[in-house]
Amino acid sequence: MLSFIINDVLGTPAILVGLFSLIGLLLQKKSFSDTISGTLKTIMGFLILIAGAGVIATTLTSFSELFVHSFNIQGIVPNNDVVSAIAQKNFGTSTAMIMILGMLFNILFARLTPLKYIFLTGHHTLYMAAMLAVILATGGMSGFPLVLTGALILGALMVISPAILQPFTRKITGSDDFALGHFGSTGYLCAALVGKLIGKGSRSTEEFKVPKHLKFLHDSSIAIALTMTILFIVLVLVAGKEFTETQVSGGQNYIIFAIIQAITFAAGVYIILAGVRMVIAEIVPAFKGIADKVVKDAKPALDCPTVFPFAPNAVIIGFLSSFCAGLICMFFFPMLGLSIIVPGLVPHFFCGATAGVYGNATGGRRGAIVGAFVNGLIISFLPAILLSVLGGLSNSTTFGDADFGVVGIILGKLMSAFH
């Protein structure tokens, strides 16, 4: 039963967001028809978003296979899904209890403090709960003290993380209707601050001036498709026709495969944007019931793709810039005595793209490029350092996004000092 609640209800973002939408609509005493419609459309929007993310992840997996073969790279690949699954084998009960209690503390902190944010990115809540359970157990804690400490930290993070970004989120969205609920917030904050520092006078990534015969580039989907086509074709040419067709494409011609994968990637971004628009259109008015009755002035904190529609060009610029930083780190880490962190394309896409949007909001094109690059450095360095406090959890993967590194390293060092 506990596993069902954690993994199938609270750990499924679409269901979690749909539940909050349902509660909000019921508290507003909306009609039966409006309640059913609002709840289902919220869930549907999230499922569309997830479907788009799945499409992108599939193409990035092919990209990664070609990349690793082309450059003969081996190392540790940050992957929150995999490392959380490994953690739950030994710390499943602690993870579950920290997650449930942490969500209750989130509501309590939102009600009692000025930080009025309800964190609705359920899978990130689960990942953070898993990491806290591992580090606290490695540091010598167990039982109720472990669960209570982990839940307090998790609940606090669930209001602090959206709060530190909210001034910039307001600038991006032009409203105060929702916040960003994603444990990559440290990287996004750095991107926004870097943009503010260096971006004075730089025009927005969304204001590209192109010749009339190239005006199709104003469509971000086309621009993303063409950019990814170039990258995929370069990779299949380096990886070779034989490897691509026998190991990756399933026999499809390697050039055609590259073009289809690139356009599929752009289609995935398009699907995500459509899902985000539907979620925002439904969750914001539905959340008014919770804001009025349970937590005054509460705001929903939503997953990172919710900011993508506000700067689609910054999305692809941020991804590429963050990935470049990951590549540079990969080659330099051995010289610094750090483990090789293979730049995971999924975290660099979602976190890099989001960092690009925040960097663009404060520093235009310079902010998007440099801010996302800084985010790429952060999500390369922190996972390498984090490995030392995870107690040998895994030799092949670790937690990837910035907040996991910041929180994990600080907590791990504190536990070592007192253990």
Side-chain angles (χ1 to χ4, degrees):
M1 186 63 184
L2 188 61
S3 173
F4 167 73
I5 293 173
I6 296 300
N7 294 309
D8 298 317
V9 180
L10 301 180
T12 304
I15 297 296
L16 180 64
V17 175
L19 276 175
F20 272 87
S21 180
L22 174 64
I23 294 169
L25 292 167
L26 289 174
L27 288 172
Q28 293 179 73
K29 298 181 179 176
K30 292 287 185 182
S31 68
F32 177 77
S33 175
D34 287 346
T35 302
I36 296 297
S37 172
T39 303
L40 290 182
K41 278 189 175 179
T42 302
I43 295 173
M44 198 181 303
F46 234 95
L47 290 176
I48 292 171
L49 187 159
I50 292 169
V55 169
I56 287 177
T58 302
T59 60
L60 290 180
T61 299
S62 301
F63 191 97
S64 184
E65 288 178 33
L66 292 165
F67 184 83
V68 169
H69 174 78
S70 298
F71 299 99
N72 192 28
I73 294 168
Q74 291 189 344
I76 293 168
V77 183
N79 188 310
N80 293 332
D81 297 301
V82 175
V83 75
S84 294
I86 294 171
Q88 288 185 64
K89 286 182 182 175
N90 294 322
F91 305 97
T93 303
S94 300
T95 298
M97 297 307 296
I98 289 174
M99 183 178 177
I100 291 176
L101 202 53
M103 294 178 78
L104 294 176
F105 277 127
N106 175 196
I107 295 171
L108 185 66
F109 292 152
R111 186 178 174 87
L112 299 179
T113 73
L115 309 180
K116 305 294 183 185
Y117 304 100
I118 305 296
F119 196 98
L120 296 180
T121 310
H123 60 298
H124 257 220
T125 308
L126 177 63
Y127 301 155
M128 186 60 82
M131 189 192 75
L132 291 170
V134 171
I135 294 176
L136 291 172
T138 303
M141 292 185 78
S142 62
F144 181 71
L146 183 151
V147 171
L148 183 62
T149 305
L152 281 168
I153 296 172
L154 180 61
L157 290 172
M158 292 168 83
V159 293
I160 293 171
S161 172
I164 61 174
L165 290 175
Q166 193 59 11
F168 305 109
T169 307
R170 274 197 297 269
K171 189 175 177 66
I172 291 167
T173 63
S175 76
D176 206 19
D177 290 338
F178 67 90
L180 194 79
H182 194 263
F183 286 135
S185 62
T186 314
Y188 313 145
L189 178 65
C190 290
L193 294 176
V194 167
K196 199 171 181 179
L197 188 67
I198 65 164
K200 188 177 180 182
S202 180
R203 286 185 296 173
S204 168
T205 55
E206 312 311 301
E207 296 176 7
F208 278 113
K209 282 188 177 180
V210 296
K212 195 174 179 180
H213 65 281
L214 293 176
K215 66 179 183 181
F216 58 86
L217 290 174
H218 280 302
D219 186 328
S220 58
S221 298
I222 302 298
I224 291 171
L226 291 175
T227 304
M228 293 306 294
T229 298
I230 294 169
L231 292 177
F232 262 106
I233 287 182
V234 168
L235 264 186
V236 297
L237 289 174
V238 175
K241 181 176 186 293
E242 183 179 350
F243 175 79
T244 303
E245 294 184 357
T246 57
Q247 302 296 324
V248 186
S249 75
Q252 188 177 33
N253 175 274
Y254 70 131
I255 298 296
I256 298 297
F257 174 76
I259 294 170
I260 293 298
Q261 289 297 303
I263 297 174
T264 302
F265 179 94
V269 175
Y270 188 90
I271 295 169
I272 285 178
L273 299 184
V276 167
R277 291 188 183 102
M278 180 180 276
V279 170
I280 292 175
E282 297 301 327
I283 190 73
V284 171
F287 213 75
K288 187 174 179 301
I290 293 174
D292 289 342
K293 302 286 177 60
V294 181
V295 179
K296 187 71 176 171
D297 299 326
K299 295 176 183 60
L302 304 172
D303 205 352
C304 64
T306 47
V307 297
F308 289 2
F310 299 95
N313 291 334
V315 168
I316 191 68
I317 290 171
F319 163 48
L320 294 175
S321 186
S322 180
F323 185 59
C324 285
L327 289 178
I328 292 170
C329 289
M330 182 181 66
F331 291 113
F332 279 95
F333 274 10
M335 301 178 197
L336 301 175
L338 295 171
S339 301
I340 295 176
I341 299 295
V342 178
L345 285 160
V346 172
H348 277 288
F349 174 72
F350 288 101
C351 296
T354 308
V357 174
Y358 276 83
N360 176 62
T362 56
R365 298 171 192 175
R366 279 202 297 275
I369 294 170
V370 181
F373 189 87
V374 169
N375 173 78
L377 295 177
I378 290 171
I379 64 173
S380 299
F381 269 96
L382 292 182
I385 301 170
L386 180 64
L387 285 168
S388 64
V389 299
L390 291 179
L393 180 67
S394 172
N395 294 321
S396 60
T397 186
T398 182
F399 294 92
D401 303 348
D403 294 358
F404 294 98
V406 172
V407 175
I409 292 166
I410 292 173
L411 182 62
K413 298 299 180 188
L414 283 174
M415 294 299 293
S416 299
F418 290 102
H419 183 49

